[in-house]
Amino acid sequence: MKLKKINQLLVLACCGTLAVQCNEHPYQQGQILYENYCANCHMSDGSGLGGIIPPLAGADYWANHQDDLACLIRYGISDTIIVNGKQYANKMEGIPQLTDFEIANIINYVNQAWGHQLGRVDIAQIRQQLVDCLPDYYPRK
């Protein structure tokens, strides 16, 4: 009987430890993807690169264009944009090799990084955004 109680306590302790560890870095995969694909330009702290590449940390553009982010990541952008009152005109190349899941992970990471509290996107939202923005020269799936 004592052995059963000890086993139950060990299981509870392990579950508690795992839960705490999961909550410490809930968007770790998104962070890794961000560091591999985005940080070279937007910097690891999301500060951007002077007047050339816009910041993501504290960026009003990021917060106000949540419905466009999947498309920006997949296809890039060549339009001039305004971020925190500053104009940016450099083209951003897309990253077409990222999967829908990877794009969702990056967005979810940035949505909670650097003081952002922008909520979570799910894969259905990402897929709908990508369908809605497909350029004419990309085949519809």
Side-chain angles (χ1 to χ4, degrees):
M1 192 59 106
K2 273 190 171 186
L3 187 58
K4 186 174 182 180
K5 203 133 198 54
I6 291 172
N7 284 341
Q8 288 173 342
L9 288 173
L10 285 173
V11 168
L12 285 175
C14 288
C15 289
T17 301
L18 288 174
V20 168
Q21 287 177 347
C22 289
N23 288 332
E24 284 180 20
H25 302 290
Y27 300 107
Q28 189 171 8
Q29 186 180 28
Q31 181 178 5
I32 292 167
L33 290 163
Y34 175 85
E35 289 169 357
N36 287 331
Y37 290 99
C38 311
N40 284 344
C41 297
H42 293 286
M43 305 295 113
S44 61
D45 64 355
S47 62
L49 187 59
I52 301 169
I53 297 170
L56 300 181
D60 59 354
Y61 189 90
W62 184 274
N64 296 329
H65 291 87
Q66 289 282 298
D67 291 340
D68 302 325
L69 298 177
C71 297
L72 292 176
I73 293 168
R74 169 83 41 91
Y75 302 118
I77 185 170
S78 57
D79 296 336
T80 298
I81 61 171
I82 308 292
V83 179
N84 299 339
K86 188 170 186 172
Q87 183 173 312
Y88 294 88
N90 283 350
K91 180 179 180 177
M92 180 184 116
E93 295 294 328
I95 312 168
Q97 69 269 28
L98 289 176
T99 68
D100 299 353
F101 289 103
E102 290 170 328
I103 291 171
N105 283 330
I106 290 170
I107 293 171
N108 283 325
Y109 167 69
V110 175
N111 276 358
Q112 62 80 40
W114 316 303
H116 285 239
Q117 294 183 348
L118 298 171
R120 186 180 171 284
V121 297
D122 63 39
I123 194 64
Q125 290 170 290
I126 298 303
R127 287 182 174 150
Q128 188 59 54
Q129 284 181 30
L130 292 170
V131 166
D132 291 346
C133 75
L134 279 176
D136 292 336
Y137 52 88
Y138 287 101
R140 291 193 181 265
K141 294 183 179 179

